[in-house]
Amino acid sequence: MESALLVKEYRAGVLECAHYGHICITDEHGQVVYSVGDPQFRAFTRSSAKPFQAIPGIRAGIDQHYSLEAQEIAIMASSHRSEPEHIRVLEHLADKIGLGEDCLICAPSYPLNEESRNNWLRAQGEKRRILHNCSGKHLGILGYSQMKNLDLDSYAQPDHPVQREILTTLAGLADIEEKEIQLGVDGCGFPVFSLPLSALSNAYLKLACPDLIADEATRIAVQTITSAMNQHPLMVGGTHRVDSVLLEDDNIVAKGGFKGVFGFALKKERLGITFKVLDGSEEEWASIVQSILKQLNYSNSKTIERLAEVFPADIRNDAGTLVGRMDSEFVLHS
């Protein structure tokens, strides 16, 4: 099935950009109830997998073992922007685990948040591994590996026991066989998973509705992780990030990933929702999410209003002058 037009961008009333992709919405029975484009399109999860990658460690009790607080659990599922509060929590997490950032295989980086990066550079700060937006995930898995007395040097390799456990966990929540998930290498060096959007939607619904998870330990771990994400939404993304804004709503679990993939789920409505913008852009996420929520007649209008406030449809130039507009163009099909 071909991709569908999701968003158009106009400048001076003239079409400048068109963004195509796929959307899938599944229910608690694993059925596709709404879609745009191909709901079976295979996408790499990228960072949208982080809540699932945190499950094995929490399930095994690393939160009790290291006396972790909710903020530290949330940042394990994050794509943080290295804002000051992120750095504070990451350093506390590293101290509790007792591992230096030299153990991380992710590349030394500068903060992704513009203000934080500028302040860091003014202070002549150097690149650090802990500033990488995946460092929370890495610290969590290193902590779990250390607790189980597993090799730390190979913690990111696909055949490492923790990585195998992550794959098994994701497949189970997605209701597919492990062999149906194709592995690649993510930007941070971890295995990354390619699977149908419908399967990823099923997995996201389990995050929002853990009562659908048969295994008690996994169910409790999911509740712990998603509770931390909703309690500390800024830890998961950062200032003016779509997933952090959505997580302000206790009815939503959300996490974005690089190259245009996004997953979220609605607890009361019991719907898992994923989409992929084929050109890899993230600028359209808020517009797509708003349109989905409106078309689903989502009851919490404040969340839709909040998205519109933080991510207006107006396009402005570098000086703040209004120059165009972004509009969603798709209709959900049942």
Side-chain angles (χ1 to χ4, degrees):
M1 187 180 296
E2 293 184 357
S3 60
L5 177 61
L6 301 182
V7 176
K8 287 183 178 179
E9 295 179 29
Y10 296 89
R11 186 176 297 266
V14 178
L15 178 64
E16 183 174 38
C17 297
H19 302 274
Y20 290 77
H22 307 278
I23 301 173
C24 178
I25 304 179
T26 58
D27 65 10
E28 60 186 304
H29 306 294
Q31 299 299 310
V32 176
V33 290
Y34 299 104
S35 65
V36 178
D38 184 3
Q40 305 306 326
F41 180 82
R42 294 186 68 93
F44 278 107
T45 54
R46 305 303 295 262
S47 288
S48 70
K50 284 177 177 173
F52 307 103
Q53 291 167 309
I55 291 173
I58 298 298
R59 183 170 56 199
I62 65 168
D63 48 337
Q64 290 90 12
H65 184 79
Y66 295 109
S67 300
L68 301 183
E69 299 176 0
Q71 284 184 310
E72 293 157 342
I73 295 171
I75 212 158
M76 286 166 51
S78 78
S79 296
H80 64 82
R81 318 302 283 180
S82 295
E83 296 175 64
E85 188 67 4
H86 294 143
I87 298 172
R88 182 189 68 79
V89 172
L90 286 162
E91 290 180 336
H92 283 182
L93 176 60
D95 286 344
K96 287 183 177 181
I97 293 172
L99 293 173
E101 63 186 280
D102 56 335
C103 294
L104 303 175
I105 67 157
C106 46
S109 305
Y110 288 121
L112 291 177
N113 176 270
E114 183 177 3
E115 181 179 356
S116 298
R117 181 174 63 252
N118 290 342
N119 290 337
W120 192 266
L121 292 173
R122 286 192 194 101
Q124 298 183 331
E126 297 182 349
K127 289 183 177 182
R128 292 179 57 187
R129 295 182 188 277
I130 207 165
L131 299 179
H132 192 285
N133 73 319
C134 296
S135 61
K137 172 183 71 175
H138 284 248
L139 285 169
I141 291 174
L142 275 168
Y144 179 33
S145 299
Q146 178 175 254
M147 187 183 80
K148 293 190 70 175
N149 295 315
L150 298 172
D151 181 63
L152 300 184
D153 291 337
S154 62
Y155 78 98
Q157 295 302 310
D159 58 353
H160 190 276
V162 174
Q163 296 294 348
R164 293 298 308 171
E165 190 176 351
I166 290 170
L167 177 62
T168 300
T169 300
L170 176 60
L173 295 178
D175 297 324
I176 58 176
E177 299 292 328
E178 287 183 38
K179 63 183 180 182
E180 296 181 58
I181 299 178
Q182 183 177 346
L183 296 183
V185 180
D186 213 339
C188 67
F190 263 35
V192 63
F193 316 103
S194 169
L195 68 167
L197 286 177
S198 60
L200 186 57
S201 293
N202 288 340
Y204 258 88
L205 181 56
K206 306 292 198 331
L207 294 180
C209 302
D211 59 286
L212 297 173
I213 302 172
D215 178 69
E216 182 181 12
T218 303
R219 184 168 61 249
I220 293 172
V222 165
Q223 290 171 333
T224 299
I225 293 164
T226 57
S227 175
M229 293 170 71
N230 282 126
Q231 287 179 57
H232 301 283
L234 282 177
M235 285 295 108
V236 178
T239 302
H240 294 170
R241 299 294 296 170
V242 178
D243 40 20
S244 289
V245 171
L246 287 174
L247 285 163
E248 293 173 6
D249 183 338
D250 287 340
N251 189 53
I252 297 179
V253 178
K255 182 69 188 73
F258 196 41
K259 295 298 182 183
V261 65
F262 198 90
F264 68 108
L266 308 178
K267 299 177 184 180
K268 295 176 183 176
E269 295 77 4
R270 300 177 78 80
L271 295 173
I273 305 162
T274 54
F275 60 83
K276 166 72 175 179
V277 181
L278 279 180
D279 59 18
S281 178
E282 300 179 11
E283 295 178 354
E284 299 72 36
W285 282 355
S287 178
I288 294 169
V289 172
Q290 285 182 71
S291 184
I292 290 172
L293 292 177
K294 288 177 181 177
Q295 292 185 55
L296 292 175
N297 295 314
Y298 185 57
S299 59
N300 191 346
S301 60
K302 291 183 178 179
T303 295
I304 299 174
E305 293 167 3
R306 173 74 170 142
L307 285 168
E309 174 191 358
V310 179
F311 309 100
D314 292 340
I315 297 174
R316 297 183 180 274
N317 68 8
D318 296 343
T321 303
L322 180 63
V323 296
R325 183 174 177 82
M326 178 187 301
D327 290 321
S328 294
E329 296 286 336
F330 63 87
V331 176
L332 296 175
H333 299 287
S334 58

Tab-separated table of all heavy atoms in Angstrom, residues 132-170:
chain	number	residue	atom	x	y	z
A	132	HIS	N	24.884	12.787	25.767
A	132	HIS	CA	24.215	12.133	24.640
A	132	HIS	C	22.766	11.874	25.008
A	132	HIS	O	22.462	11.476	26.140
A	132	HIS	CB	24.920	10.810	24.300
A	132	HIS	CG	24.497	10.220	22.993
A	132	HIS	ND1	23.290	9.591	22.815
A	132	HIS	CD2	25.136	10.173	21.789
A	132	HIS	CE1	23.191	9.164	21.568
A	132	HIS	NE2	24.298	9.507	20.922
A	133	ASN	N	21.854	12.086	24.077
A	133	ASN	CA	20.433	12.004	24.424
A	133	ASN	C	19.974	10.595	24.779
A	133	ASN	O	18.854	10.416	25.268
A	133	ASN	CB	19.568	12.587	23.299
A	133	ASN	CG	19.495	11.696	22.072
A	133	ASN	OD1	20.487	11.119	21.653
A	133	ASN	ND2	18.324	11.609	21.491
A	134	CYS	N	20.807	9.593	24.568
A	134	CYS	CA	20.459	8.215	24.934
A	134	CYS	C	21.164	7.740	26.206
A	134	CYS	O	21.068	6.562	26.557
A	134	CYS	CB	20.804	7.256	23.793
A	134	CYS	SG	19.861	7.526	22.282
A	135	SER	N	21.854	8.633	26.883
A	135	SER	CA	22.687	8.199	28.009
A	135	SER	C	21.872	7.589	29.143
A	135	SER	O	22.360	6.691	29.845
A	135	SER	CB	23.536	9.366	28.525
A	135	SER	OG	22.711	10.428	28.995
A	136	GLY	N	20.648	8.060	29.361
A	136	GLY	CA	19.827	7.480	30.421
A	136	GLY	C	19.519	6.023	30.170
A	136	GLY	O	19.583	5.187	31.084
A	137	LYS	N	19.186	5.701	28.930
A	137	LYS	CA	18.940	4.313	28.544
A	137	LYS	C	20.186	3.462	28.773
A	137	LYS	O	20.108	2.353	29.332
A	137	LYS	CB	18.522	4.255	27.076
A	137	LYS	CG	18.417	2.852	26.492
A	137	LYS	CD	18.061	2.886	25.011
A	137	LYS	CE	19.214	3.384	24.156
A	137	LYS	NZ	18.896	3.300	22.703
A	138	HIS	N	21.319	3.979	28.359
A	138	HIS	CA	22.571	3.235	28.503
A	138	HIS	C	22.904	2.994	29.972
A	138	HIS	O	23.306	1.885	30.349
A	138	HIS	CB	23.710	3.992	27.820
A	138	HIS	CG	23.694	3.877	26.331
A	138	HIS	ND1	24.652	3.196	25.615
A	138	HIS	CD2	22.819	4.354	25.419
A	138	HIS	CE1	24.384	3.262	24.330
A	138	HIS	NE2	23.265	3.972	24.182
A	139	LEU	N	22.740	4.016	30.794
A	139	LEU	CA	23.027	3.848	32.219
A	139	LEU	C	22.119	2.802	32.845
A	139	LEU	O	22.560	1.983	33.667
A	139	LEU	CB	22.871	5.189	32.949
A	139	LEU	CG	23.987	6.209	32.735
A	139	LEU	CD1	23.582	7.566	33.292
A	139	LEU	CD2	25.288	5.730	33.377
A	140	GLY	N	20.844	2.810	32.475
A	140	GLY	CA	19.917	1.826	33.019
A	140	GLY	C	20.304	0.409	32.673
A	140	GLY	O	20.273	-0.496	33.531
A	141	ILE	N	20.699	0.185	31.446
A	141	ILE	CA	21.044	-1.172	31.015
A	141	ILE	C	22.408	-1.583	31.562
A	141	ILE	O	22.626	-2.751	31.900
A	141	ILE	CB	20.957	-1.264	29.485
A	141	ILE	CG1	19.475	-1.150	29.084
A	141	ILE	CG2	21.563	-2.558	28.962
A	141	ILE	CD1	19.204	-1.080	27.620
A	142	LEU	N	23.311	-0.629	31.684
A	142	LEU	CA	24.575	-0.945	32.358
A	142	LEU	C	24.335	-1.323	33.816
A	142	LEU	O	24.936	-2.271	34.337
A	142	LEU	CB	25.515	0.262	32.287
A	142	LEU	CG	26.362	0.413	31.031
A	142	LEU	CD1	27.010	1.788	30.988
A	142	LEU	CD2	27.420	-0.685	30.960
A	143	GLY	N	23.438	-0.581	34.483
A	143	GLY	CA	23.129	-0.899	35.871
A	143	GLY	C	22.529	-2.279	36.031
A	143	GLY	O	22.869	-3.025	36.963
A	144	TYR	N	21.644	-2.632	35.116
A	144	TYR	CA	21.030	-3.965	35.146
A	144	TYR	C	22.089	-5.034	34.894
A	144	TYR	O	22.145	-6.063	35.586
A	144	TYR	CB	19.918	-4.031	34.103
A	144	TYR	CG	19.202	-5.356	34.007
A	144	TYR	CD1	19.004	-6.166	35.122
A	144	TYR	CD2	18.698	-5.790	32.782
A	144	TYR	CE1	18.331	-7.377	35.022
A	144	TYR	CE2	18.021	-6.989	32.673
A	144	TYR	CZ	17.845	-7.786	33.782
A	144	TYR	OH	17.178	-8.983	33.679
A	145	SER	N	22.955	-4.811	33.918
A	145	SER	CA	24.018	-5.775	33.606
A	145	SER	C	24.942	-5.970	34.799
A	145	SER	O	25.344	-7.094	35.128
A	145	SER	CB	24.822	-5.300	32.390
A	145	SER	OG	24.013	-5.189	31.252
A	146	GLN	N	25.281	-4.879	35.463
A	146	GLN	CA	26.153	-4.966	36.639
A	146	GLN	C	25.470	-5.733	37.763
A	146	GLN	O	26.104	-6.565	38.439
A	146	GLN	CB	26.516	-3.556	37.103
A	146	GLN	CG	27.385	-3.511	38.335
A	146	GLN	CD	27.800	-2.091	38.672
A	146	GLN	OE1	28.938	-1.703	38.468
A	146	GLN	NE2	26.860	-1.299	39.187
A	147	MET	N	24.173	-5.469	37.973
A	147	MET	CA	23.443	-6.156	39.033
A	147	MET	C	23.419	-7.669	38.799
A	147	MET	O	23.473	-8.461	39.746
A	147	MET	CB	22.012	-5.624	39.103
A	147	MET	CG	21.213	-6.151	40.287
A	147	MET	SD	19.493	-5.554	40.288
A	147	MET	CE	18.753	-6.678	39.092
A	148	LYS	N	23.380	-8.077	37.534
A	148	LYS	CA	23.339	-9.503	37.193
A	148	LYS	C	24.727	-10.090	36.972
A	148	LYS	O	24.855	-11.248	36.576
A	148	LYS	CB	22.498	-9.708	35.926
A	148	LYS	CG	21.022	-9.399	36.110
A	148	LYS	CD	20.196	-9.842	34.907
A	148	LYS	CE	20.121	-11.348	34.816
A	148	LYS	NZ	19.221	-11.806	33.728
A	149	ASN	N	25.759	-9.289	37.236
A	149	ASN	CA	27.150	-9.729	37.044
A	149	ASN	C	27.422	-10.159	35.608
A	149	ASN	O	28.140	-11.136	35.347
A	149	ASN	CB	27.486	-10.878	38.017
A	149	ASN	CG	27.454	-10.434	39.459
A	149	ASN	OD1	27.988	-9.380	39.808
A	149	ASN	ND2	26.804	-11.228	40.303
A	150	LEU	N	26.837	-9.431	34.668
A	150	LEU	CA	27.054	-9.690	33.253
A	150	LEU	C	28.172	-8.792	32.727
A	150	LEU	O	28.515	-7.776	33.335
A	150	LEU	CB	25.766	-9.444	32.473
A	150	LEU	CG	24.573	-10.330	32.842
A	150	LEU	CD1	23.316	-9.848	32.129
A	150	LEU	CD2	24.866	-11.787	32.489
A	151	ASP	N	28.726	-9.177	31.595
A	151	ASP	CA	29.799	-8.397	30.992
A	151	ASP	C	29.305	-6.996	30.650
A	151	ASP	O	28.234	-6.823	30.051
A	151	ASP	CB	30.297	-9.093	29.715
A	151	ASP	CG	31.427	-8.329	29.066
A	151	ASP	OD1	32.495	-8.200	29.691
A	151	ASP	OD2	31.234	-7.853	27.932
A	152	LEU	N	30.074	-5.992	31.028
A	152	LEU	CA	29.693	-4.611	30.770
A	152	LEU	C	30.222	-4.095	29.429
A	152	LEU	O	29.586	-3.262	28.787
A	152	LEU	CB	30.191	-3.692	31.891
A	152	LEU	CG	29.677	-3.986	33.301
A	152	LEU	CD1	30.179	-2.925	34.279
A	152	LEU	CD2	28.160	-4.070	33.334
A	153	ASP	N	31.356	-4.609	29.005
A	153	ASP	CA	31.960	-4.109	27.774
A	153	ASP	C	31.087	-4.392	26.549
A	153	ASP	O	31.093	-3.617	25.600
A	153	ASP	CB	33.341	-4.732	27.570
A	153	ASP	CG	34.357	-4.249	28.597
A	153	ASP	OD1	34.150	-3.162	29.168
A	153	ASP	OD2	35.345	-4.972	28.833
A	154	SER	N	30.335	-5.481	26.589
A	154	SER	CA	29.534	-5.884	25.424
A	154	SER	C	28.047	-5.602	25.624
A	154	SER	O	27.210	-6.178	24.941
A	154	SER	CB	29.732	-7.383	25.147
A	154	SER	OG	29.285	-8.162	26.257
A	155	TYR	N	27.709	-4.684	26.536
A	155	TYR	CA	26.300	-4.492	26.900
A	155	TYR	C	25.422	-4.035	25.751
A	155	TYR	O	24.200	-4.194	25.791
A	155	TYR	CB	26.185	-3.496	28.063
A	155	TYR	CG	26.324	-2.038	27.697
A	155	TYR	CD1	25.202	-1.230	27.518
A	155	TYR	CD2	27.579	-1.435	27.547
A	155	TYR	CE1	25.332	0.123	27.198
A	155	TYR	CE2	27.709	-0.095	27.236
A	155	TYR	CZ	26.585	0.686	27.057
A	155	TYR	OH	26.710	2.013	26.743
A	156	ALA	N	25.997	-3.492	24.691
A	156	ALA	CA	25.205	-3.005	23.555
A	156	ALA	C	25.136	-4.001	22.406
A	156	ALA	O	24.451	-3.741	21.404
A	156	ALA	CB	25.780	-1.685	23.038
A	157	GLN	N	25.782	-5.136	22.547
A	157	GLN	CA	25.795	-6.109	21.458
A	157	GLN	C	24.492	-6.911	21.419
A	157	GLN	O	23.914	-7.235	22.464
A	157	GLN	CB	26.976	-7.066	21.618
A	157	GLN	CG	28.333	-6.384	21.490
A	157	GLN	CD	28.492	-5.687	20.149
A	157	GLN	OE1	28.254	-6.286	19.100
A	157	GLN	NE2	28.909	-4.436	20.190
A	158	PRO	N	24.013	-7.243	20.218
A	158	PRO	CA	22.723	-7.947	20.100
A	158	PRO	C	22.662	-9.274	20.851
A	158	PRO	O	21.579	-9.693	21.281
A	158	PRO	CB	22.579	-8.170	18.594
A	158	PRO	CG	23.428	-7.121	17.965
A	158	PRO	CD	24.587	-6.921	18.906
A	159	ASP	N	23.812	-9.942	21.010
A	159	ASP	CA	23.802	-11.240	21.680
A	159	ASP	C	24.034	-11.129	23.186
A	159	ASP	O	24.098	-12.144	23.889
A	159	ASP	CB	24.845	-12.180	21.062
A	159	ASP	CG	26.263	-11.618	21.116
A	159	ASP	OD1	26.430	-10.435	21.504
A	159	ASP	OD2	27.210	-12.355	20.758
A	160	HIS	N	24.143	-9.909	23.713
A	160	HIS	CA	24.259	-9.743	25.160
A	160	HIS	C	22.950	-10.183	25.808
A	160	HIS	O	21.864	-9.930	25.266
A	160	HIS	CB	24.551	-8.276	25.496
A	160	HIS	CG	24.914	-8.042	26.927
A	160	HIS	ND1	23.978	-7.871	27.925
A	160	HIS	CD2	26.135	-7.949	27.531
A	160	HIS	CE1	24.604	-7.679	29.076
A	160	HIS	NE2	25.908	-7.721	28.870
A	161	PRO	N	23.019	-10.862	26.963
A	161	PRO	CA	21.785	-11.369	27.585
A	161	PRO	C	20.710	-10.310	27.811
A	161	PRO	O	19.516	-10.579	27.641
A	161	PRO	CB	22.284	-11.950	28.910
A	161	PRO	CG	23.693	-12.342	28.639
A	161	PRO	CD	24.221	-11.306	27.696
A	162	VAL	N	21.104	-9.097	28.183
A	162	VAL	CA	20.103	-8.051	28.410
A	162	VAL	C	19.463	-7.629	27.097
A	162	VAL	O	18.245	-7.433	27.022
A	162	VAL	CB	20.725	-6.841	29.131
A	162	VAL	CG1	19.700	-5.706	29.236
A	162	VAL	CG2	21.200	-7.240	30.526
A	163	GLN	N	20.255	-7.521	26.042
A	163	GLN	CA	19.684	-7.158	24.745
A	163	GLN	C	18.760	-8.249	24.227
A	163	GLN	O	17.717	-7.956	23.627
A	163	GLN	CB	20.803	-6.881	23.726
A	163	GLN	CG	21.686	-5.690	24.064
A	163	GLN	CD	20.953	-4.356	24.016
A	163	GLN	OE1	19.827	-4.267	23.516
A	163	GLN	NE2	21.567	-3.313	24.549
A	164	ARG	N	19.104	-9.487	24.493
A	164	ARG	CA	18.209	-10.582	24.104
A	164	ARG	C	16.899	-10.515	24.889
A	164	ARG	O	15.812	-10.765	24.356
A	164	ARG	CB	18.887	-11.937	24.364
A	164	ARG	CG	20.093	-12.228	23.496
A	164	ARG	CD	19.735	-12.299	22.018
A	164	ARG	NE	18.618	-13.217	21.768
A	164	ARG	CZ	17.995	-13.337	20.603
A	164	ARG	NH1	18.357	-12.580	19.583
A	164	ARG	NH2	17.011	-14.210	20.450
A	165	GLU	N	17.005	-10.153	26.153
A	165	GLU	CA	15.808	-10.038	26.988
A	165	GLU	C	14.912	-8.886	26.508
A	165	GLU	O	13.690	-8.999	26.516
A	165	GLU	CB	16.212	-9.830	28.448
A	165	GLU	CG	15.054	-9.931	29.419
A	165	GLU	CD	15.490	-9.813	30.870
A	165	GLU	OE1	16.716	-9.814	31.135
A	165	GLU	OE2	14.602	-9.699	31.736
A	166	ILE	N	15.529	-7.811	26.085
A	166	ILE	CA	14.762	-6.687	25.548
A	166	ILE	C	14.001	-7.110	24.299
A	166	ILE	O	12.804	-6.811	24.146
A	166	ILE	CB	15.704	-5.502	25.226
A	166	ILE	CG1	16.237	-4.882	26.519
A	166	ILE	CG2	14.977	-4.449	24.385
A	166	ILE	CD1	17.351	-3.873	26.288
A	167	LEU	N	14.670	-7.806	23.398
A	167	LEU	CA	14.030	-8.269	22.167
A	167	LEU	C	12.843	-9.175	22.465
A	167	LEU	O	11.760	-9.014	21.891
A	167	LEU	CB	15.052	-9.003	21.298
A	167	LEU	CG	14.518	-9.616	19.999
A	167	LEU	CD1	13.973	-8.535	19.081
A	167	LEU	CD2	15.617	-10.418	19.299
A	168	THR	N	13.032	-10.118	23.387
A	168	THR	CA	11.949	-11.027	23.756
A	168	THR	C	10.773	-10.265	24.360
A	168	THR	O	9.601	-10.545	24.066
A	168	THR	CB	12.459	-12.078	24.755
A	168	THR	OG1	13.513	-12.831	24.154
A	168	THR	CG2	11.347	-13.031	25.185
A	169	THR	N	11.078	-9.300	25.198
A	169	THR	CA	10.030	-8.503	25.846
A	169	THR	C	9.236	-7.701	24.823
A	169	THR	O	7.997	-7.680	24.850
A	169	THR	CB	10.652	-7.556	26.881
A	169	THR	OG1	11.333	-8.328	27.877
A	169	THR	CG2	9.592	-6.696	27.547
A	170	LEU	N	9.928	-7.024	23.906
A	170	LEU	CA	9.244	-6.230	22.892
A	170	LEU	C	8.370	-7.106	22.007
A	170	LEU	O	7.208	-6.760	21.721
A	170	LEU	CB	10.257	-5.470	22.036
A	170	LEU	CG	9.680	-4.662	20.871
A	170	LEU	CD1	8.695	-3.608	21.369
A	170	LEU	CD2	10.794	-4.009	20.054
